[in-house]
């Protein structure tokens, strides 16, 4: 058995091997080579090569093992080919000379009847040359896969830096995978999506799949039955064999030390192979276990137990994400069960996970690692995922296949409930790695930051609602002083919660309030934005203590209005000494109330006058800042002049009014 820790290699299409002119291989029997892939090359002259095959091999032989008495009608060839097929061999290569000048006709007939591709290897082509060609093709495929993954990483990172990072990452991921990418919120709703939207059945299955990787809820469902590790699921699949335990995964964290090597769960140990004393021969009555490394693909005996769940693939330390569903590195895909076409298949390419790999009951629509089968799950694919033990580890990813699409779900962040879903028509090498990169980027864009835990923020909110002054609860949120930032996206429309969360992540805080068209952010003063953020216009207040948060909120709003009017991406409130500071605050406020009394009863007039003065009487810029027509600005300023009975073109009047407006 190969070392499971060895770097996996992508399989080689048999058509690519036949296309090599230097080998001059020719297929003379068996099904078309279009859907056949080769994982290994093995040379054997044994009459029964079954014990020496792992599955997926191109088996090369010169026919030394063929007895002289084997004629055209001998059963020897049919038995020989049937054993190769049972072992999962991908193809058979027969070398001409020095033993046989032609391929035996009985072997050609046996390969044709058993569906095994048969290749004729000419005398000038050595078996070593065939093996070397396979390794070369694998190396090229690996290089192409690495180049594709690298380019995808770069494009995803560039998308994450765009003004709309989350939709950009989803669009880039969907483009790279040729399918649909969607972000689900903590409650399971679709927040954003991109690519070719699949049908209703696939979308519903993908939504259910997200519950497999979403952190478990603490409140159990009323209909959920208690879980027992290794328990048989209820439903039709359980009643067929009530006393037979479900086979565990081959990489379970607590394997049975008493089981002899080479045995299958529930099967006695087989007698040793006389040719290899240390390698047992699989019993003839044992049902092959699909997905484990070294396991035989499902053969004729598998159809006798259509309702028995198949164990998923073992979790290798460095699994390859590229093999198609139902395969393990070095193994061919097992035949699909016609009784359950929608059954999910375990992936060998899943990211390293915590806990054992457990099989879900048939029809559940998901493969989940790290948890035991759900007793409350049945054949109804529309049933939501059950709530499991909170102490049980939750997998980071899960896969399924529905309606001809490959589905995958990836948990984001540190358990906040965001999930990335992917639906693709095919699963190419490197797809899992590309999706994992996107999941990491989306975790950074949607996750909470270091400014405070959710519990601390909740406690601060409760205390504020109960009447505690801000300065008493500010310590729960972080160190002060604080800045208030008002941000507005450059495009049309109000920013969504995901865009607001991404803005908070860029500013280094999770204290974000997406209120209407403006996002308000509370930022520690040491994290003040030093440069503009692409796609946003920012207005920043002065650094204040918690009791001055309301005043800072006003400062940030005014700074944002001025920034939008002057088309500046970032504008901060300037806190500097002024001549107005020489006047006692009480007297200054009394003077302001008296001077501005005619207009303070009309908030729209007061704000228009303030903005118009701050922009030096610019009509167009004031209209932009207030989001009104410039004629409206002219009408309001004319009314202010009439109410105040003064000339607003006089710079002394403007200065006095500005001084008074700053006291309000």
């Amino acid at each position: 058995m190969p070392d499971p820790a060895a770097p996996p290699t992508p399989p080689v299409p048999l058509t690519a091997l036949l296309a090599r002119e230097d080998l001059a291989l020719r297929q003379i029997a068996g099904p078309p080579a279009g859907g056949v892939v080769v994982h290994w090359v093995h040379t054997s002259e044994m009459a029964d090569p079954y014990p020496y095959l792992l599955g997926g091999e191109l088996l090369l032989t010169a026919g030394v093992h063929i007895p002289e008495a084997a004629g055209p009608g001998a059963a020897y060839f049919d038995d020989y080919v049937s054993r190769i097929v049972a072992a999962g061999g991908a193809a058979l290569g027969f070398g001409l000379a020095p033993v046989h000048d032609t391929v035996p006709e009985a072997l050609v007939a046996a390969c044709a009847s058993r569906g095994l591709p048969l290749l004729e290897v000419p005398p000038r082509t050595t078996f070593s040359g065939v093996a070397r060609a396979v390794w070369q093709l694998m190396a090229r495929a690996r290089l192409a896969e690495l180049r594709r993954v690298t380019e995808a990483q770069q494009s995803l990172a560039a998308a994450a830096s765009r003004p709309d990072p989350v939709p950009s990452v989803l669009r880039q991921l969907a483009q790279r995978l040729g399918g649909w990418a969607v972000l689900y919120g903590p409650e399971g709703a679709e927040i954003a999506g991109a690519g070719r939207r699949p049908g209703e059945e696939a979308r519903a299955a993908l939504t259910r799949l997200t519950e497999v990787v979403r952190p478990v809820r603490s409140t159990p469902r009323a209909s959920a039955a208690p879980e027992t590790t290794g328990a048989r699921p209820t439903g039709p699949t359980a009643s067929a064999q009530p006393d037979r335990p479900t086979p565990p995964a081959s990489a379970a964290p607590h394997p049975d030390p008493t089981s002899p090597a080479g045995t299958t769960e529930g099967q006695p140990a087989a007698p040793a192979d006389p040719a290899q004393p240390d390698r047992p021969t699989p019993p003839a009555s044992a049902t092959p276990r699909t997905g484990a490394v070294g396991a035989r693909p499902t053969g004729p005996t598998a159809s006798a137990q259509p309702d028995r769940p198949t164990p998923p693939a073992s979790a290798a330390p460095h699994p390859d994400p590229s093999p198609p569903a139902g395969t393990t590195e070095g193994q061919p895909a097992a035949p699909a069960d016609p009784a359950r076409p929608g059954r999910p298949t375990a992936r060998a390419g899943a990211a390293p996970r915590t806990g054992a790999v457990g099989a879900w009951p048939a029809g559940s629509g998901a493969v989940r690692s790290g948890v035991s089968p759900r007793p409350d799950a049945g054949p109804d694919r529309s049933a939501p995922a059950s709530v499991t033990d909170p102490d049980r580890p939750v997998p980071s990813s899960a896969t399924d296949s529905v309606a001809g699409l490959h589905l995958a779900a990836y948990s984001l962040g540190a358990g906040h409930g965001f999930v990335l879903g992917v639906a693709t028509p095919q699963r190419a090498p490197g797809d899992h790695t590309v999706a994992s990169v996107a999941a990491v980027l989306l975790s950074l864009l949607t996750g909470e930051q270091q400014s405070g835990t959710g519990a601390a923020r909740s406690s601060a909110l409760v205390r504020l609602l109960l009447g505690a002054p801000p300065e008493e609860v500010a310590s729960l949120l972080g160190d002060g002083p604080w800045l208030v930032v008002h941000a507005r996206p450059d495009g049309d429309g109000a920013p969504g919660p995901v865009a607001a969360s991404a803005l908070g992540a860029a500013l280094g805080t999770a204290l974000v309030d997406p209120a209407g068209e403006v996002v308000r952010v509370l930022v520690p003063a040491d994290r003040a934005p030093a440069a503009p953020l692409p796609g946003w216009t920012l207005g920043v207040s002065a650094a204040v203590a918690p009791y001055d948060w309301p005043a800072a909120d006003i400062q940030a709003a005014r700074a944002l209005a001025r920034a939008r009017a002057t088309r500046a991406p970032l504008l901060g409130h300037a806190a500097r000494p002024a001549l107005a500071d020489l006047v006692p605050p009480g007297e200054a406020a009394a003077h302001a109330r008296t001077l501005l009394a005619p207009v303070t009863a009309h908030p729209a007039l007061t704000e228009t006058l303030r903005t118009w003065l701050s922009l030096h009487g610019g009509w167009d810029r004031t209209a932009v800042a207030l989001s009104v027509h410039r004629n409206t600005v002219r009408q309001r300023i004319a009314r202010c002049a009439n109410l105040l009975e003064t000339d607003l073109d006089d710079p002394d009047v403007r200065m006095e009014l500005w001084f008074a407006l700053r006291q309000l």
Side-chain angles (χ1 to χ4, degrees):
M1 181 179 297
D3 182 7
T9 54
V12 173
L14 187 59
T15 54
L17 201 60
L18 292 173
R20 292 281 297 257
E21 296 181 357
D22 57 325
L23 299 179
L25 301 178
R26 184 170 65 95
Q27 182 176 358
I28 58 177
V36 180
V37 294
V38 175
H39 291 266
W40 323 91
V41 176
H42 182 63
T43 301
S44 175
E45 297 298 339
M46 301 294 296
D48 182 11
Y50 181 97
Y52 310 100
L53 300 181
L54 296 174
E57 293 92 349
L58 168 60
L59 180 63
L60 300 177
T61 179
V64 178
H65 57 87
I66 300 176
E68 296 181 359
Y76 174 85
F77 295 100
D78 188 71
D79 294 340
Y80 175 72
V81 173
S82 65
R83 294 292 284 172
I84 298 175
V85 172
L92 175 64
F94 194 89
L96 301 181
V99 181
H100 297 271
D101 295 333
T102 60
V103 180
E105 296 182 0
L107 180 60
V108 175
C111 289
S113 63
R114 293 287 181 175
L116 180 68
L118 176 62
L119 310 183
E120 180 186 82
V121 183
R124 65 181 180 86
T125 301
T126 64
F127 288 176
S128 298
V130 175
R132 181 177 59 184
V134 171
W135 309 141
Q136 289 175 349
L137 292 173
M138 285 185 175
R140 294 176 185 174
R142 170 59 70 188
L143 181 60
E145 177 185 341
L146 293 177
R147 184 181 295 112
R148 173 174 176 263
V149 170
T150 301
E151 293 175 352
Q153 289 176 339
Q154 295 173 350
S155 62
L156 289 170
S161 64
R162 292 178 58 85
D164 52 344
V166 172
S168 296
V169 170
L170 293 176
R171 284 195 299 269
Q172 189 61 230
L173 178 62
Q175 178 182 351
R176 290 286 174 176
L177 300 186
W180 187 52
V182 57
L183 177 65
Y184 295 92
E187 302 301 327
E190 296 181 11
I191 296 178
R196 295 194 297 268
R197 190 176 182 88
E200 184 64 29
E201 180 184 1
R203 294 201 308 271
L206 186 58
T207 302
R208 291 192 299 270
L209 193 63
T210 61
E211 296 299 326
V212 178
V213 299
R214 182 172 286 112
V216 295
R217 299 178 294 274
S218 58
T219 304
R221 204 173 55 185
S223 61
E227 282 195 303
T228 303
T229 303
R232 288 283 295 176
T234 60
T237 58
S239 61
Q241 296 177 343
D243 298 328
R244 187 167 191 174
T246 303
S250 58
H254 302 288
D256 184 6
T258 61
S259 299
T263 63
T264 304
E265 181 69 19
Q267 300 292 343
D273 185 354
Q276 285 188 336
D278 58 342
R279 185 169 186 173
T281 302
S285 60
T287 302
R289 299 176 59 185
T290 306
V293 176
R296 311 300 178 220
T298 306
T301 58
S303 61
Q305 298 177 351
D307 292 328
R308 180 182 179 185
T310 305
S314 59
H318 302 284
D320 181 19
S322 58
T327 66
T328 304
E329 178 62 27
Q331 301 294 337
D337 189 347
R340 296 179 298 180
R343 179 186 177 197
T345 309
R347 284 185 59 182
R353 304 164 184 169
T354 306
V357 179
W360 285 85
S364 64
V367 174
R368 183 175 186 176
S369 67
V371 282
S372 300
R374 303 176 302 172
D376 64 322
D380 183 10
R381 298 180 63 90
S382 63
S386 67
V387 180
T388 58
D389 183 0
D391 296 331
R392 187 163 294 162
V394 178
S396 60
S397 63
T399 61
D400 196 359
S401 296
V402 173
L405 295 176
H406 299 279
L407 311 180
Y410 300 85
S411 178
L412 305 184
H416 302 303
F418 288 95
V419 177
L420 169 64
V422 176
T424 57
Q426 60 184 1
R427 185 169 294 138
D431 281 0
H432 178 75
T433 304
V434 173
S436 298
V437 172
V440 171
L441 292 174
L442 291 174
S443 298
L444 297 176
L445 295 172
T446 59
E448 296 187 351
Q449 302 300 312
Q450 299 293 329
S451 59
T453 63
R457 290 196 299 276
S458 177
S459 176
L461 175 61
V462 171
R463 296 188 189 184
L464 287 172
L465 292 175
L466 295 180
E471 56 269 20
E472 291 186 6
V473 301
S475 59
L476 297 173
L477 304 177
D479 298 330
W482 296 85
L483 300 172
V484 177
V485 179
H486 280 213
R488 185 165 178 172
D490 294 342
D492 298 332
V498 176
S501 178
L503 173 65
L507 295 175
T509 179
L511 304 174
V512 181
D513 175 28
E517 296 181 350
V518 176
V519 179
R520 300 190 302 174
V521 187
L522 194 60
V523 182
D526 58 354
R527 301 179 189 174
L533 296 179
W536 293 91
T537 300
L538 305 181
V540 185
S541 73
V544 298
Y547 57 81
D548 278 337
W549 282 345
D553 187 45
I554 296 175
Q555 293 175 0
R558 294 173 180 172
L560 175 61
R562 184 173 176 82
R564 294 187 68 243
T566 58
R567 292 179 172 81
L570 174 62
L571 191 62
H573 177 81
R576 61 185 182 276
L579 292 175
D581 297 332
L582 300 177
V583 181
E587 296 180 9
H591 173 72
R593 287 193 298 269
T594 301
L595 179 62
L596 298 174
V599 297
T600 52
H602 309 280
L605 295 181
T606 305
E607 189 61 28
T608 301
L609 180 60
R610 185 198 310 277
T611 305
W612 183 73
L613 291 175
S614 70
L615 296 173
H616 309 289
W619 305 106
D620 292 338
R621 291 189 296 174
T622 303
V624 171
L626 298 177
S627 299
V628 298
H629 196 273
R630 61 181 178 180
N631 290 340
T632 303
V633 176
R634 291 181 180 273
Q635 293 172 2
R636 291 179 181 178
I637 295 301
R639 189 177 179 191
C640 288
N642 293 332
L643 292 174
L644 295 173
E645 297 179 353
T646 186
D647 183 10
L648 295 183
D649 291 333
D650 188 339
D652 291 332
V653 173
R654 291 190 182 188
M655 181 180 65
E656 186 176 6
L657 290 175
W658 180 250
F659 168 80
L661 287 168
R662 292 188 61 186
Q663 310 309 314
L664 296 181

